[in-house]
Amino acid sequence: MSGANGSSTWRNWAGNITARPAREVSPASAAELAEAVRRAAEDGLTVKAVGTGHSFTAAAATDGVLIRPDLLTGIRRIDRAAMTVTVEAGTPLKRLNAALAREGLSLTNMGDIMEQTVAGATSTGTHGTGRDSASIAAQIKGLELVTADGSLVACSEKENPEIFAAARIGLGALGVVTAITFAVEPAFLLTAREEPMPFDKVTGDFDALFAENEHFEFYWFPHTGNCNTKRNNRSAGPVAPPGKLSGWIEDEFMSNGLFQVVCSLGRAVPATIPSIAKVSSRALSARTYTDIPYKVFTSPRRVRFVEMEYALPREAVVGALREVKALVERSPLRISFPVEVRTAPADDIALSTASGRETAYIAVHMYKGTPYQAYFTAVERIMTAHAGRPHWGKVHTRDAAYFAEVYPRFAEFTALRDRLDPERRFGNAYLRRVLGE
C-alpha cells in the first residue's frame, strides 16, 4: 500500500479544525483506494478523504483512516464528441482549468478560488454566481466512487441514476469519489465590469442587475453604504486583461497585501474598523477587463478568514441583506470583511443549496483569529427565518432536524446513505450532526 504511515495532525486551511487520524493513506489508484477502505473495515476504523482543507467545518475530520488525494490527480480523458472531461478526484481545480485552457475548453461556471480538489469542491457544493449556470457539481455528467464494501460504483443520469441524484453533492457520506466527468464547452471570453455602487441602488435594482447579466455579484462593506459590483458577461473579445500595475494594485495589494494589514489592525484595535472601511470602500474604482473564464471568475485569496454562507430563495435575499445591515448598525460588532451576495439557478441535486429553488447567497466572513460567534450567530438567526440552507463546507450550527425541513429530498439522501453505508464507514461527528445517526 503506497504512502501508509503513522499519524500526524491534520489541519484545515483556516486553522479552525484539527484532527488526529489513526493512519494516513495516499492511494495511487481507485483499486488502492478500495483496498484501503476494505482494510479500514477489517480494523474497525472509519474512513474520510480530505481535499485541500478549504472547508471551515469538520466535514473531513477523522480519527480513523485519512485518505490523501495527492496521487489521484490528472485528466483521464477528454471526449470531444460528448464535450466532457474526466478527471481524477484529487486534481486541483487550478490544474483542471489550466489543462482545459490548453485544449481550448472551459467549464461553464466556477467559484472564486481554485485551490480546492475537484472532489472536495463538488462534494460540499462549491459555487460561483450565475443567472443560468449553476454550481460546479451541477456541471457533473458522471461520477465514480468507492463505497463502504470496497466496490467501485459508476453513476450518471443513465447508470445508477438514484446515486447520481445524490452523490454529486455527497458530503463524503456515500463513498470516496475517485473520478468526476464534467461537461465542458469550447473556450470563451468573459468581460468583467467592476463598479462601485451605493447599497440602496444595488438592492433597489437587484432584480434588474440579476436579469441583465450572466454572472452578477456584489460586496457590501459593513459600516458603510458602499458596495462593489461585478458583472461578468460573454464577450467577442479581444482579450484585454487588467493592466499589470492596476491589476496588481487591485488583486494583490488591495485584496491581499493591504487587506492583510487592515485586518490585522482591525483585530488588534476593533474601533478602527468602521473608519478604515469607509476609506477602503471608497478607494475602489471602476474597471473593465476581458479574459478566459478562469482568469475572470477566480482570484487569489491569501488573507485567511472564517466564513458562513447561507442560500436563500432568491426573492428573499434583498430583505435579508437589509436585516444584516440593520443588525451591524445597531450592534457593537466591528466587521472588516465585506459581505458577498451571489446567485444560482435551481438544480436537481438532492442536497444542493439550490436544490429545487432559484437561489441567492449571502456570505459573511471574519478575519482568522477574531471572535466570529456573535456575528455569525446573529446573521444565522436572520438566515434561518428565511428557510436558509447553509453551505456544507462553511460554519453553521444546523442539524439533521433542521435540514429535514429545508430540503424536500433530505429523506431520499439519508435512505441512500443507509443503503450504501449501513455501518457508517464514512461517518464522523459532522455527518452525525447534519445527517443524523
Side-chain angles (χ1 to χ4, degrees):
M1 186 74 224
S2 72
N5 60 22
S7 149
S8 55
T9 300
W10 174 84
R11 268 188 184 75
N12 68 340
W13 177 83
N16 66 317
I17 305 284
T18 56
R20 282 197 73 89
R23 65 172 178 253
E24 293 184 16
V25 182
S26 297
S29 65
E32 281 189 12
L33 199 157
E35 176 59 26
V37 171
R38 286 191 290 268
R39 277 194 53 204
E42 286 164 17
D43 297 341
L45 294 171
T46 55
V47 178
K48 291 312 296 179
V50 295
T52 51
H54 267 269
S55 287
F56 301 95
T57 63
T62 184
D63 55 5
V65 178
L66 185 78
I67 306 277
R68 290 203 178 263
D70 316 45
L71 303 178
L72 284 170
T73 64
I75 291 189
R76 256 190 216 182
R77 67 182 169 273
I78 292 174
D79 182 338
R80 287 184 184 271
M83 287 306 277
T84 60
V85 59
T86 302
V87 282
E88 305 288 341
T91 309
L93 283 167
K94 61 183 174 191
R95 272 187 58 191
L96 171 61
N97 286 334
L100 288 175
R102 285 196 298 273
E103 298 285 341
L105 300 168
S106 178
L107 294 172
T108 300
N109 198 357
M110 60 196 81
D112 62 0
I113 52 175
M114 54 175 180
E115 303 304 312
Q116 314 100 310
T117 62
V118 292
T122 54
S123 296
T124 53
T126 298
H127 62 92
T129 190
R131 181 188 61 201
D132 315 303
S133 54
S135 72
I136 307 180
Q139 298 169 63
I140 294 177
K141 290 293 179 195
L143 202 67
E144 180 187 277
L145 67 164
V146 170
T147 53
D149 61 3
S151 54
L152 192 63
V153 176
C155 64
S156 65
E157 283 175 0
K158 294 189 175 66
E159 190 179 11
N160 295 308
E162 76 292 351
I163 297 178
F164 186 66
R168 284 171 285 170
I169 298 181
L171 316 184
L174 305 176
V176 179
V177 175
T178 50
I180 301 176
T181 299
F182 292 102
V184 292
E185 56 177 305
F188 54 94
L189 295 176
L190 283 174
T191 292
R193 175 164 173 73
E194 296 176 11
E195 181 186 6
M197 200 178 281
F199 181 91
D200 292 337
K201 181 164 173 56
V202 182
T203 52
D205 295 352
F206 178 74
D207 288 340
L209 287 162
F210 163 79
E212 289 161 13
N213 295 283
E214 291 169 75
H215 307 274
F216 175 67
E217 65 188 302
F218 70 94
Y219 301 84
W220 164 60
F221 296 87
H223 312 294
T224 79
N226 305 326
C227 294
N228 198 31
T229 61
K230 186 175 181 185
R231 294 171 249 202
N232 298 331
N233 289 289
R234 295 196 183 209
S235 155
V239 171
K244 277 214 165 34
L245 180 62
S246 68
W248 180 84
I249 288 171
E250 291 274 347
D251 299 327
E252 278 306 318
F253 179 63
M254 287 181 69
S255 299
N256 287 300
L258 178 65
F259 193 46
Q260 178 79 53
V261 174
V262 164
C263 287
S264 303
L265 174 62
R267 181 168 68 185
V269 193
T272 60
I273 287 174
S275 47
I276 292 172
K278 286 182 176 66
V279 173
S280 58
S281 66
R282 282 200 297 264
L284 292 164
S285 50
R287 62 172 181 161
T288 300
Y289 51 94
T290 301
D291 216 326
I292 59 174
Y294 83 86
K295 294 185 176 177
V296 174
F297 284 131
T298 69
S299 50
R301 291 271 185 276
R302 278 187 274 281
V303 179
R304 306 251 165 168
F305 53 84
V306 179
E307 180 178 359
M308 181 174 77
E309 180 179 55
Y310 265 81
L312 304 177
R314 200 180 68 234
E315 62 276 10
V317 75
V318 168
L321 184 67
R322 287 180 177 143
E323 290 176 60
V324 172
K325 187 169 187 276
L327 158 83
V328 170
E329 283 166 359
R330 66 167 184 262
S331 78
L333 294 168
R334 294 293 173 257
I335 313 299
S336 59
F337 254 91
V339 175
E340 182 180 22
V341 177
R342 296 177 289 174
T343 69
D347 66 40
D348 65 346
I349 305 168
L351 291 190
S352 166
T353 46
S355 183
R357 75 183 186 196
E358 292 279 323
T359 295
Y361 297 92
I362 294 179
V364 296
H365 310 70
M366 284 289 261
Y367 182 50
K368 180 188 169 185
T370 48
Y372 60 83
Q373 280 85 354
Y375 178 40
F376 284 13
T377 300
V379 171
E380 191 172 42
R381 203 169 289 134
I382 294 170
M383 300 301 148
T384 53
H386 292 281
R389 299 168 177 171
H391 188 301
W392 295 109
K394 296 175 187 176
V395 175
H396 67 89
T397 66
R398 303 295 89 193
D399 61 13
Y402 179 84
F403 292 125
E405 288 177 17
V406 297
Y407 282 99
R409 296 169 63 184
F410 188 74
E412 174 193 328
F413 188 96
T414 54
L416 180 66
R417 182 190 186 209
D418 289 342
R419 194 184 104 203
L420 292 180
D421 188 13
E423 294 177 2
R424 303 294 187 254
R425 184 68 48 220
F426 303 115
N428 66 2
Y430 181 70
L431 290 181
R432 278 195 293 281
R433 170 161 73 93
V434 301
L435 297 178
E437 289 300 337

